[in-house]
């Protein structure tokens, strides 16, 4: 048996279940959700069958190999350029006609294709019966029926992958009859293709050029010919060659479907329910109120349900702190060790982890939205509104995701078509308050705004959104005046979120938060603690400590905003590492003072300056991870621009609020 | 002949042609907007734009701008009592809640497809999910159906 490592790609239409199949094959943990465009990055895993390993690559979904968006390009380039040994085409059986289009393109290309006929449970419930043997014969490929969400058919699929991936035979490309004129054109273009193209691939390249794709420097001559032929055909028929090719492919698919598919008249319950929900959610008048209602409900749950739980965790950490300091004094540990552990680590980490319940609830709700199918609806309902702001309906999905964490949200912009939309959506994303900012909000609102707490919180989120909107308008006006991208977006049927697909990402994201407590917050807190004790002999966390000196440098800048304390400056600076660290730092710095943390900050802030601080910490500077994500997607320039822009706005608005508030109050 | 943007919610039409820029035309074509395909308007966002359509058994959103480029031939709508024989699709049900609920119990709601036996008199006989059902003429009159061509999607030469 051959020892060469085999690489298999998983391709298919968006939302056909590719990532679910990938996870089932490899035991991986990539995110799954019920809207087109969950996966935006290729992801490698490994499937083992009878001791043999195969590398499996999950790709973003794509309807065609034409590739209109960045995520589709990632998928196309992988299939076309990196030439995997075989492609598992995941096909949504309930949506066979449109899904087969991509399969046809793959077959025309000459790829070695295995069809995973997924979601047959849904197809069956809609009365669609597919004869898999006939389908396999008609297309000349292996077809494995699967229900990936329940793990059915995965073993068979794994076996087929390992068998096919290892056979060295390459299939003959599928040939569809395109009618006399186009066939002639294909022949004419083929003759111009240089020897760089293999004989079997010539037809595919000719078609590609005729469809208007570019082939790079190799084919300038053939490309020019393709262009003239297109113009000729257009003149003669008032009908372009590109659409004619697409129509022929669909004609072929129709033939295949007639042979292999039987549909019983009727309608499935699930589809009925889905349509009934859409009747309400997408209603002309109710759509937007429902959306805002859902968001309000989310935050209500986060705060009202989360707070008692978080108080519990707070008590737990206080208990741990007392126990540890008792133990330490019992073993007569040196003062500085006791201080490092209790003042630094336990206080700093405890204050952050306390907010775990709130954050978990937020993630749970976001996961529910993702898996139910509501995300695409939100984009649909808000499209017009976003349009007014100079953004695209699809920009809305990254903005909702930003409420969880800005980093995946920034990656999610890859589903946007124009660079303009992508840049704008990325630049405004840091204004969406991520979950790491929740601890700051909760700590300060509970200290200062016991009565109007919910309103204050809402105002912070709203302020972020309003600034995102204004920024988008300004940036668009200054930098971009290109044309609009169409909103061609699939709305998948709702399904009841599966417990597993909701709890898994919730747990995963929560776990990341907990892990960050160890990997980011703990080191940050230790550094803060060290700086607070240096130079040797100085009183802990006094203005004379190194930490106090550093903070003191920046404190005057914050004075106009009402919180010109050195430790506030330090907290904000440290918060750039990760926003939770703001609260961790404040706790560490004040750990030796008596009283609860809320009482301590009450002694420094007035409600007005506290509000200014909240505004500042919600707006100023993206965290390092977000900065890096922006840099990766758009480059240094835009990353620095975002940092500068958010800092400027944050400072101006915090200062404005404080100064104006002082005049009024 | 109408534009897709001019169809009302619930109406069906057959795509006849798509105009506009070549890239957009090709893109719409790959999503299924090719001559002969049946399309229905399903939902409409606030302010009337964008709208959601059903075609090839799935749901897709388009802005009115794009829907303007697509020419369709609206399909005639009949009461089930006088509909032609063969496979028909329910596009609407008139009448009070009671009627709708009763029909829903039989499995007949908007979007159900069924086979009409087209009896000239007496109760209307239909076939649904492999079973035969009888409906009174009066009720059948309230069920609006349309005939979606079987050859839907075949390339026109
Ligand atoms: N009923 C049913 N649902 C499935 C099946 N396979 C996947 N799903 C669900 O379909 C949705 C889409 O699954 P994903 O794996 O995220 O799809 P994808 O193809 O990776 O999507 P993109 O990354 O957006 O292209 C999820 O909500 C899954 O739970 C199946 O066989 N039956
Ligand atoms: Mg995916």
């Amino acid at each position: 048996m051959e020892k060469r490592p085999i690489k298999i790609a998983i391709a298919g239409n968006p939302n056909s279940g590719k990532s679910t199949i990938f996870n089932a094959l490899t035991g991986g943990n990539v995110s799954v959700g019920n809207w087109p465009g969950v996966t935006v990055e290729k992801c490698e895993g490994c499937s083992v069958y009878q001791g043999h390993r195969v590398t499996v690559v999950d790709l973003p979904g794509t309807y065609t190999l034409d590739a209109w968006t960045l995520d589709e390009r990632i998928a196309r380039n992988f299939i076309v350029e990196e030439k995997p040994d075989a492609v598992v085409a995941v096909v949504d059986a309930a949506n066979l006609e449109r899904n087969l289009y991509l399969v046809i393109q793959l077959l025309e290309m000459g790829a070695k294709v295995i069809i995973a006929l997924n979601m047959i449970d849904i197809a069956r419930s809609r009365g669609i019966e597919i004869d898999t043997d006939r389908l396999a014969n008609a297309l000349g490929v292996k077809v494995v029926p699967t229900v990936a969400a329940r793990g059915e058919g995965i073993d068979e699929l794994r076996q087929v992958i390992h068998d096919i991936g290892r056979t060295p035979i390459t299939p003959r490309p599928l040939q569809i009859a395109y009618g006399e004129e186009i066939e002639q054109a294909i022949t004419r273009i083929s003759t111009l293709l240089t020897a760089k193209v293999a004989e079997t691939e010539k037809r595919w390249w000719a078609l590609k050029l005729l469809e208007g794709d570019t082939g790079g420097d190799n084919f300038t001559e053939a490309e020019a010919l393709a262009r003239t032929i297109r113009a000729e055909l257009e003149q003669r028929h008032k009908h372009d060659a590109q659409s004619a090719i697409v129509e022929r492919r669909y004609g072929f698919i129709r033939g295949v479907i007639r042979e292999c598919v039987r549909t019983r008249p009727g309608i499935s319950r699930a589809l009925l329910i889905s349509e009934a929900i859409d009747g309400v959610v997408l209603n002309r008048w109710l759509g937007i109120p429902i959306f805002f209602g859902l968001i309000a409900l989310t935050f209500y749950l986060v705060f009202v349900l989360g707070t008692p739980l978080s108080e519990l965790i707070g008590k737990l950490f206080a208990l741990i702190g007392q126990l540890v300091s008792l133990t330490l004094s019992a073993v007569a540990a040196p003062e500085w060790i006791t201080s490092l552990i209790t003042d630094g680590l336990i206080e700093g980490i405890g204050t952050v982890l306390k907010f775990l319940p709130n954050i978990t609830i937020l993630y749970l709700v976001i996961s529910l939205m993702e898996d139910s199918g509501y995300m695409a609806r939100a984009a649909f309902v808000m499209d017009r509104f976003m349009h007014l702001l100079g953004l695209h309906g699809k920009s809305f999905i990254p903005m909702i995701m930003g409420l969880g964490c800005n980093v995946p949200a920034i990656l999610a912009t890859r589903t946007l078509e124009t660079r303009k939309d992508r840049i704008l959506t990325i630049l405004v994303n840091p204004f969406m308050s991520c979950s790491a900012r929740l601890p700051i909000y909760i700590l300060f609102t509970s200290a200062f705004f016991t009565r109007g707490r919910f309103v204050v919180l809402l105002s912070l989120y709203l302020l972020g959104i309003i600034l995102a909107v204004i920024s988008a308008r300004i940036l668009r006006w200054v930098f971009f005046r290109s044309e609009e991208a169409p909103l061609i977006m699939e709305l998948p049927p709702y399904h009841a979120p599966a417990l597993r697909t909701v709890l898994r990402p919730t747990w995963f994201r929560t776990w990341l938060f907990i892990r960050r407590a160890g990997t980011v917050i703990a080191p940050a807190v230790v550094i803060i603690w060290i700086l607070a004790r240096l130079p040797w002999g100085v009183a802990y966390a006094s203005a004379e400590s190194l930490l106090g000196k550093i903070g003191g440098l920046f404190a005057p800048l914050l004075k106009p905003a009402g919180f010109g304390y050195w430790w506030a400056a330090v907290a904000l600076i440290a918060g750039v590492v990760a926003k939770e660290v703001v609260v961790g730092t404040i706790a560490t710095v004040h750990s030796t003072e008596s009283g609860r943390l809320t009482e301590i900050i009450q002694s420094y802030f007035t409600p007005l300056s506290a509000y200014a601080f909240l505004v500042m910490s919600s707006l100023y500077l993206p965290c390092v991870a977000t900065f890096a994500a922006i840099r990766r997607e758009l480059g240094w320039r835009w990353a620095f621009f975002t940092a500068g822009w958010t800092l400027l706005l944050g400072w101006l608005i915090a200062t404005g609020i404080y100064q104006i508030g002082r005049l009024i109050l | 002949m109408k534009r897709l943007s001019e169809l009302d919610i619930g109406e069906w039409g057959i795509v006849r042609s798509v105009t506009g820029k070549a890239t957009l035309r090709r893109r719409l074509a790959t999503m299924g907007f090719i001559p002969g395909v049946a399309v229905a308007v399903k939902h409409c966002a606030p302010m009337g734009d964008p709208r959601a359509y059903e075609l090839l058994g799935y749901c897709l959103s388009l802005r009115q701008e794009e829907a303007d480029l697509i020419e369709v031939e609206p399909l005639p709508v009949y009461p089930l009592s006088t509909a032609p024989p063969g496979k028909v699709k329910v596009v609407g049900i008139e009448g009070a809640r009671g009627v709708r609920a009763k029909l829903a119990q039989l499995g007949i709601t908007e979007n159900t497809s069924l086979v009409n036996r087209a009896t000239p008199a007496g109760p209307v006989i239909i076939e649904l999910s492999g079973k035969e059902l009888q409906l009174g003429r009066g009720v059948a009159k309230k069920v609006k159906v349309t005939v979606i061509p079987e050859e839907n999607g075949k390339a026109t030469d």
Side-chain angles (χ1 to χ4, degrees):
Chain A
M1 197 143 279
E2 219 184 325
K3 280 276 134 56
R4 193 173 61 89
I6 294 171
K7 199 173 242 185
I8 305 273
I10 301 186
N13 281 189
N15 216 39
S16 56
K18 298 175 296 301
S19 300
T20 315
I21 285 190
F22 174 85
N23 285 345
L25 282 175
T26 64
N29 206 358
V30 300
S31 34
V32 164
N34 188 18
W35 91 85
V38 180
T39 308
V40 290
E41 178 83 286
K42 59 183 183 222
C43 174
E44 268 191 23
C46 180
S47 154
V48 183
Y49 177 71
Q50 296 185 342
H52 296 284
R53 299 160 69 85
V54 164
T55 307
V56 183
V57 182
D58 184 28
L59 293 174
T62 174
Y63 293 107
T64 70
L65 289 179
D66 306 340
W68 306 98
T69 61
L70 185 57
D71 60 326
E72 287 180 348
R73 270 203 294 283
I74 291 171
R76 200 248 337 249
N77 291 350
F78 187 83
I79 296 168
V80 175
E81 279 153 27
E82 296 196 32
K83 297 236 166 70
D85 295 283
V87 178
V88 176
V90 181
V91 166
D92 176 357
N95 217 328
L96 197 57
E97 208 162 337
R98 200 206 57 217
N99 272 256
L100 282 182
Y101 190 85
L102 179 70
V103 176
I104 298 298
Q105 281 192 315
L106 290 170
L107 291 173
E108 282 188 304
M109 205 181 96
K112 210 192 272 176
V113 173
I114 301 158
I115 291 184
L117 193 60
N118 196 29
M119 311 227 186
I120 38 171
D121 54 331
I122 297 180
R124 213 165 270 151
S125 78
R126 291 192 199 163
I128 303 171
E129 286 295 337
I130 301 171
D131 187 330
T132 44
D133 292 336
R134 282 197 182 177
L135 184 62
N137 275 334
L139 298 174
V141 298
K142 282 260 188 215
V143 176
V144 183
T146 60
V147 182
R150 282 192 253 127
E152 286 169 31
I154 297 298
D155 287 336
E156 290 88 320
L157 182 62
R158 189 175 285 137
Q159 186 187 339
V160 172
I161 288 175
H162 285 249
D163 290 348
I164 303 263
R166 219 154 305 206
T167 52
I169 319 156
T170 44
R172 245 167 45 98
L174 174 73
Q175 290 207 2
I176 290 176
Y178 283 103
E180 207 179 321
E181 274 175 331
I182 291 178
E183 289 296 337
Q184 271 174 11
I186 293 173
T187 322
R188 276 169 69 194
I189 297 169
S190 300
T191 51
L192 281 187
L193 291 172
T194 44
K196 278 181 197 153
V197 183
E199 204 52 49
T200 47
E201 286 185 3
K202 280 200 168 153
R203 186 184 169 83
W204 183 69
W205 273 106
L207 258 177
K208 213 165 119 74
L209 295 177
L210 197 57
E211 280 189 275
D213 284 335
T214 56
D217 298 336
N218 294 342
F219 315 120
T220 32
E221 220 179 319
E223 227 179 298
L225 177 65
R227 218 168 304 135
T228 16
I229 292 177
R230 269 210 307 277
E232 263 172 43
L233 288 178
E234 172 105 43
Q235 275 226 314
R236 214 176 313 155
H237 296 297
K238 294 254 162 256
H239 190 58
D240 53 323
Q242 286 124 300
S243 305
I245 292 173
V246 179
E247 280 162 29
R248 287 291 180 157
R249 286 195 186 121
Y250 267 113
F252 178 84
I253 292 170
R254 181 125 294 253
V256 172
I257 288 198
R258 239 195 318 260
E259 236 174 86
C260 326
V261 181
R262 294 282 157 269
T263 314
R264 260 186 304 120
I267 190 170
S268 84
R269 273 221 95 67
L271 205 58
L272 269 185
I273 295 170
S274 182
E275 293 201 348
I277 298 175
D278 267 346
V280 179
V281 168
L282 300 184
N283 181 286
R284 272 187 93 142
W285 309 110
L286 295 178
I288 288 185
I290 286 179
F291 171 74
F292 282 108
L294 279 177
I295 294 291
L297 181 69
T298 305
F299 284 102
Y300 184 78
L301 289 178
V302 166
F303 293 114
V304 172
L305 228 61
T307 305
L309 290 173
S310 85
E311 234 110 79
L312 219 65
I313 297 190
K315 285 206 184 100
L316 186 71
F317 269 97
L319 202 70
I320 294 177
Q322 278 165 4
L323 277 179
V324 167
S325 71
L326 273 180
T327 331
L328 286 175
S329 64
V331 297
E335 182 270 339
W336 67 268
I337 287 192
T338 316
S339 166
L340 173 63
I341 292 178
T342 55
D343 303 340
L345 287 175
I346 294 179
E347 191 64 34
I349 295 176
T351 319
V352 175
L353 280 190
K354 189 179 154 193
F355 299 101
L356 201 60
N358 308 82
I359 285 167
T360 307
I361 293 173
L362 181 60
Y363 277 134
L364 185 69
V365 178
I366 291 180
S367 299
L368 273 172
M369 277 209 226
E370 286 180 346
D371 201 46
S372 66
Y374 186 69
M375 284 300 223
R377 269 77 180 180
F380 175 78
V381 169
M382 300 301 282
D383 178 64
R384 201 57 208 274
F385 179 67
M386 298 298 277
H387 212 63
L388 290 176
L389 315 178
L391 288 167
H392 190 268
K394 276 199 235 164
S395 308
F396 203 66
I397 294 175
M399 287 177 81
I400 300 180
M401 289 172 77
L403 296 176
C405 174
N406 298 124
V407 176
I410 284 168
L411 292 190
T413 60
R414 290 183 179 181
T415 59
L416 294 167
E417 281 154 44
T418 62
R419 190 164 159 78
K420 171 211 86 181
D421 284 331
R422 245 171 67 79
I423 293 178
L424 284 181
T425 311
I426 288 176
L427 295 188
V428 301
N429 207 279
F431 287 116
M432 305 306 290
S433 285
C434 66
S435 59
R437 283 170 248 185
L438 266 178
I440 316 175
Y441 296 174
I442 298 177
L443 178 66
F444 274 76
T445 51
S446 61
F448 292 97
F449 307 100
T450 36
R451 271 204 295 131
R453 185 161 171 217
F454 206 64
V455 181
V456 170
L457 279 163
L458 211 61
S459 76
L460 288 171
Y461 281 94
L462 275 182
L463 181 69
I465 294 172
I466 291 169
L467 286 178
V469 163
I470 295 175
S471 307
R473 276 260 69 147
I474 296 177
L475 293 174
R476 193 174 129 80
W477 184 71
V478 176
F479 293 110
F480 313 99
R481 306 204 182 164
S482 56
E483 59 184 304
E484 294 305 321
L487 181 82
I488 301 179
M489 178 181 64
E490 187 179 355
L491 302 175
Y494 293 96
H495 61 208
L499 204 61
R500 225 166 71 112
T501 45
V502 172
L503 292 187
R504 232 189 183 193
T506 307
W507 164 242
F508 184 64
R509 289 160 177 171
T510 307
W511 168 238
L512 280 188
F513 184 79
I514 298 175
R515 211 179 56 182
R516 270 218 311 271
T519 56
V520 177
I521 303 173
V525 160
V526 169
I527 291 171
I528 295 286
W529 179 86
I530 293 173
L531 290 177
R533 284 185 77 98
L534 290 178
W536 201 253
V538 84
Y540 175 74
S542 61
E544 286 72 47
S545 66
L546 204 52
L547 193 67
K549 291 259 169 55
I550 296 172
L553 281 179
F554 296 94
L557 288 173
L558 300 178
K559 202 157 179 66
F563 44 88
Y565 308 113
W566 65 265
W567 54 266
V570 166
L572 288 176
I573 295 169
V576 172
V577 174
K579 293 287 165 84
E580 312 90 291
V581 175
V582 173
V583 167
T585 305
I586 295 178
T588 308
V589 168
H590 294 294
S591 55
T592 45
E593 292 167 43
S594 61
R596 297 177 38 169
L597 191 56
T598 46
E599 286 154 17
I600 294 167
I601 57 175
Q602 271 165 356
S603 68
Y604 288 96
F605 287 91
T606 64
L608 181 62
S609 63
Y611 191 69
F613 184 76
L614 278 174
V615 167
M616 180 74 178
S617 52
S618 100
L619 301 178
Y620 89 106
L621 291 178
C623 71
V624 202
T626 308
F627 185 85
I630 299 177
R631 204 220 81 213
R632 206 152 60 95
E633 297 296 305
L634 301 180
W636 285 109
R637 239 174 29 138
W638 286 115
F640 277 113
F641 176 84
T642 316
W645 180 251
T646 48
L647 188 61
L648 181 74
L649 274 185
W651 186 83
L652 278 179
I653 292 173
T655 307
I657 286 175
Y658 182 67
Q659 295 299 340
I660 294 171
R662 247 190 357 172
L663 290 181
I664 298 171
L665 299 179
Chain B
M1 210 68 102
K2 269 186 172 180
R3 286 154 201 260
L4 184 56
S5 55
E6 294 163 347
L7 287 193
D8 281 329
I9 291 189
E11 273 191 281
W12 281 83
I14 300 289
V15 177
R16 285 300 169 218
S17 70
V18 182
T19 53
K21 278 204 328 200
T23 45
L24 187 57
R25 250 185 303 177
R26 172 172 167 210
R27 183 143 178 228
L28 289 170
T30 54
M31 296 308 282
F33 288 100
I34 53 178
V37 166
V39 193
V41 188
K42 302 298 286 186
H43 304 284
C44 162
M47 300 185 261
D49 187 22
R51 301 203 297 176
Y53 300 90
E54 181 186 323
L55 75 162
L56 305 184
Y58 79 102
C59 188
L60 185 77
S61 78
L62 289 183
R63 294 214 185 102
Q64 288 294 73
E65 238 172 288
E66 286 96 53
D68 253 347
L69 304 173
I70 300 167
E71 263 199 279
V72 294
E73 193 173 299
L75 285 177
V77 174
Y78 316 89
L80 183 56
S81 49
T82 58
K87 208 159 150 185
V88 297
K89 188 161 190 132
V90 180
V91 293
I93 294 169
E94 281 176 0
R97 285 194 112 162
V99 179
R100 301 180 65 97
K102 208 179 117 206
L103 286 168
Q105 270 193 341
L106 296 173
I108 303 171
T109 53
E110 268 108 2
N111 243 3
T112 310
S113 51
L114 43 87
V115 178
N116 181 23
R117 291 257 181 270
T119 44
V124 174
I125 299 177
I126 56 167
E127 196 186 309
L128 181 67
S129 307
K131 280 179 290 184
E132 268 196 9
L133 291 175
Q134 294 194 352
L135 290 181
R137 286 260 151 204
V139 177
K141 216 178 244 166
K142 295 193 166 145
V143 180
K144 305 294 178 204
V145 298
T146 191
V147 181
I148 294 168
E150 269 301 314
E151 282 306 277
N152 143 24
K154 192 178 172 225
T156 44
D157 292 274

